[in-house]
Amino acid sequence: MRSARWSGLPPPFRHALVGCTLLVGLAALSAAMVAPRPAQIATTIIAFVSEITAASACFRSARHAAADDRRWRVLIGMFAAGLAGGALLTAVTFLNGDTIRSATTSTLLGLIVFYGLALAGLLYLPADPVEGRSARGRDGGLDRWHVIVVLDSLLIVGSALLFEWGTSLAAIVRASAPDPAQLLAALVHQLTVLVLVTAVLLIAAFRRPRSPATLALLGGGLLGYALTNSIYVYRYAHGDYDLPAWSLLPLIVSLQLITLAALAPASAAVDRNTTAEPGPRAMWVHTALPYAVLAAAGLVPVGKLVAGGPLDPVEAYGAVSLLVLAFTRQMITLAENTRLLVEVREREKQLNYQAFHDPLTGLANRALFARRLRHEVDPGVEPRGDDTATGGQAAVSVLFVDLDQFKRVNDTFGHAIGDELLKITAGRLRAGTRANDLVARLGGDEFAVILDGSGPDDPVRVAQRLAATVQTPCQLAGQTFQPRASLGLVTLDPDTRPMTPDSLLHQADLAMYAAKRADTTKLVIYNGRLGVHPGRDPPQIHWTPN
């Protein structure tokens, strides 16, 4: 089984795994078996080689990666190349017989720029939002979610450092009195590294990476690098700037993980259709986490103020800065929630429209027709569901329209031509009715129109105009086509109520079938003598040559 898994890995990844193992083993042997000074130089050189290897793996894999997978590799490669520059300076310093103290401040401040590149690379790592929202803007750039990740990382790490300063680090600094510039550089250095690691954890917890192996390797590498730099900060706080050789081992291991992340096989992509999305509790944790950490860190300065003690500048400026970050984060969250609320309302409107309209013709469907007809028959039952309410006091008429040769059109010329005939018919019915009327497609080739009797136009005359309009020749399949339709009309006067909507529609249907039996293209008005009789054979399709 292990042999099969090993052989299934791409050759570059297998070779890199062997090479990374050898580099780590060589660094461990150097730290354990060589004298301290030579071991320090040897491990620094191995770290430099590891950083060059990681940068080369990122740049080389970027050449063959897809467009959305290329950008993060370039950015992480630039990050590794920047680290290589710092390691080279350190190695040269050691070879010249100097200590690292002379280059500490400039080296750490220079590396902060490259950590920014690494953070941008993490944000560009292909991942999908677990809540179903768009991960990127239309141009493929960063969106609000990524800004929130950065702010959350700053809040969490800044709060942790403020708590660490108030509980232990400030006392260590006052006792050892290190160089202020070098200590500040070390603190800023640790802040940027921990922000990077926090961003990895947030992305891993609240995103669905398309390649979990890549994120795990890259995140593990950055996490190891952060742990190494956390050691540096405490040693600088004690005034100790020369690092032992063993302290570089975690850094070397982390660089090997970054190398493997760049060469990880793409076949490890996660199935986004089967990945379970976190529930509301997980999303609530994501929202509340930075504020909870900020509140816990704020207990230290608040406790000092309550006890009557003064705050040092780091605590004062740090607390104000974190409050500004929290306010900015909250404003962005409110803006995002407002945008989502607008999207939800627009989606509700679309769903409401789709629920009550025919997708092919855009006319009202059977559900909206039945809703409107119930109101016309009994205005007190429910609202009409449109913007043309008249109070339901006037006589209402129902026109039933059935295209006679629609099935033969479908069978002869295909459903696309049949759909075109339905659209033409729907457009003619809509154009020939008034604002207070309602045109609906009940299904198939059946249409119905609710004619409002409150206007000056007689519903019978309106129905007769519609009968002539629907059967006007039209262009269909490149030829002039003569549509035929059977139309039945029923009118309900206020004096004849009560009447059910189903019975009223049934009467219009009876009138339509009477027209079909008579094979007439004229309108048939319902009367009590109409009944249901077997229909005649459907008429032939009538085409008029161009």
Side-chain angles (χ1 to χ4, degrees):
M1 180 65 70
R2 291 182 179 179
S3 177
R5 292 180 180 178
W6 175 259
S7 60
L9 295 175
F13 187 82
R14 295 202 306 266
H15 298 159
L17 187 59
V18 173
C20 292
T21 304
L22 292 177
L23 281 176
V24 173
L26 181 61
L29 288 175
S30 300
M33 302 180 65
V34 183
R37 186 66 177 181
Q40 194 176 46
I41 297 175
T43 52
T44 302
I45 294 175
I46 294 174
F48 170 74
V49 173
S50 300
E51 289 156 351
I52 291 295
T53 303
S56 301
C58 290
F59 291 138
R60 183 174 180 178
S61 62
R63 296 173 55 187
H64 308 285
D68 61 345
D69 204 34
R70 184 180 302 121
R71 192 173 300 172
W72 77 265
R73 298 175 186 274
V74 173
L75 292 170
I76 296 298
M78 295 173 65
F79 162 72
L83 298 183
L88 180 60
L89 291 176
T90 303
V92 171
T93 301
F94 286 152
L95 290 174
N96 290 334
D98 297 330
T99 63
I100 197 175
R101 177 171 185 168
S102 60
T104 297
T105 302
S106 59
T107 301
L108 293 181
L109 291 178
L111 290 177
I112 292 174
V113 177
F114 296 100
Y115 294 150
L117 293 174
L119 179 59
L122 275 173
L123 297 180
Y124 277 114
L125 192 69
D128 298 301
V130 297
E131 66 272 21
R133 288 183 284 178
S134 175
R136 301 188 186 277
R138 295 181 180 179
D139 58 351
L142 303 181
D143 64 0
R144 290 186 184 92
W145 194 93
H146 298 94
V147 176
I148 290 178
V149 168
V150 175
L151 291 176
D152 286 351
S153 301
L154 288 171
L155 278 172
I156 293 172
V157 174
S159 300
L161 287 179
L162 182 63
F163 182 83
E164 187 179 11
W165 178 269
T167 55
S168 60
L169 196 56
I172 297 175
V173 170
R174 285 192 292 267
S176 58
D179 183 89
Q182 292 178 341
L183 178 62
L184 179 61
L187 288 174
V188 175
H189 181 262
Q190 187 189 31
L191 175 66
T192 54
V193 172
L194 291 180
V195 165
L196 195 64
V197 173
T198 305
V200 173
L201 298 178
L202 290 176
I203 292 174
F206 301 106
R207 303 287 278 189
R208 289 187 295 178
R210 298 180 187 176
S211 178
T214 300
L215 180 60
L217 291 169
L218 184 61
L222 294 173
L223 181 62
Y225 195 81
L227 293 176
T228 304
N229 284 275
S230 297
I231 299 173
Y232 297 166
V233 172
Y234 272 95
R235 293 182 68 90
Y236 294 155
H238 284 285
D240 188 358
Y241 300 96
D242 287 327
L243 302 176
W246 61 263
S247 66
L248 292 177
L249 292 179
L251 179 130
I252 294 173
V253 171
S254 66
L255 291 168
Q256 311 313 317
L257 294 177
I258 293 175
T259 301
L260 295 176
L263 301 176
S267 59
V270 68
D271 186 358
R272 287 171 281 168
N273 297 322
T274 59
T275 302
E277 297 184 359
R281 180 178 299 178
M283 302 311 300
W284 183 88
V285 169
H286 178 208
T287 302
L289 178 61
Y291 301 108
V293 177
L294 177 61
L299 294 177
V300 176
V302 170
K304 287 186 177 181
L305 292 176
V306 171
L311 298 179
D312 60 40
V314 174
E315 291 174 323
Y317 289 114
V320 172
S321 300
L322 291 175
L323 290 177
V324 171
L325 286 176
F327 178 79
T328 304
R329 200 263 194 200
Q330 188 61 28
M331 291 299 100
I332 294 177
T333 302
L334 290 176
E336 179 72 5
N337 290 339
T338 302
R339 184 184 65 84
L340 291 176
L341 181 60
V342 172
E343 290 182 358
V344 168
R345 289 178 176 176
E346 290 296 327
R347 192 175 298 113
E348 288 178 349
K349 290 181 181 179
Q350 294 176 1
L351 292 175
N352 183 70
Y353 180 86
Q354 295 171 1
F356 292 103
H357 290 81
D358 175 54
L360 177 64
T361 63
L363 298 177
N365 61 10
R366 182 180 290 272
L368 181 56
F369 177 85
R371 183 178 179 182
R372 167 75 177 271
L373 189 59
R374 280 196 298 269
H375 173 81
E376 296 294 350
V377 172
D378 188 357
V381 173
E382 64 176 284
R384 291 162 63 142
D386 53 24
D387 299 327
T388 60
T390 62
Q393 299 301 318
V396 61
S397 300
V398 176
L399 175 66
F400 203 105
V401 182
D402 182 88
L403 297 179
D404 291 330
Q405 59 259 59
F406 180 69
K407 184 177 185 302
R408 288 178 176 266
V409 171
N410 273 339
D411 294 341
T412 305
F413 301 99
H415 290 279
I417 301 300
D419 290 345
E420 186 64 25
L421 179 59
L422 291 176
K423 293 178 183 178
I424 293 174
T425 304
R428 290 176 170 181
L429 290 173
R430 187 188 292 111
T433 52
R434 303 154 300 178
N436 288 346
D437 300 330
L438 179 69
V439 183
R441 181 188 175 203
L442 301 184
D445 59 348
E446 295 180 343
F447 298 85
V449 184
I450 298 178
L451 298 172
D452 192 357
S454 60
D457 294 337
D458 183 6
V460 175
R461 288 198 296 269
V462 175
Q464 289 172 343
R465 289 200 305 267
L466 291 176
T469 301
V470 167
Q471 300 177 91
T472 301
C474 63
Q475 290 295 317
L476 201 65
Q479 304 181 54
T480 300
F481 175 65
Q482 175 68 57
R484 286 179 57 92
S486 300
L487 299 95
L489 178 71
V490 62
T491 299
L492 176 65
D493 292 323
D495 297 337
T496 63
R497 300 178 184 183
M499 173 70 73
T500 64
D502 290 340
S503 60
L504 188 63
L505 183 60
H506 178 64
Q507 291 174 359
D509 189 44
L510 290 177
M512 182 274 296
Y513 270 106
K516 191 178 289 291
R517 289 197 306 272
D519 194 13
T520 179
T521 59
K522 296 182 179 180
L523 175 70
V524 174
I525 301 175
Y526 174 81
N527 61 65
R529 295 187 300 274
L530 293 177
V532 179
H533 301 281
R536 302 170 61 179
D537 292 337
Q540 299 296 316
I541 298 177
H542 298 279
W543 295 92
T544 302
N546 287 330

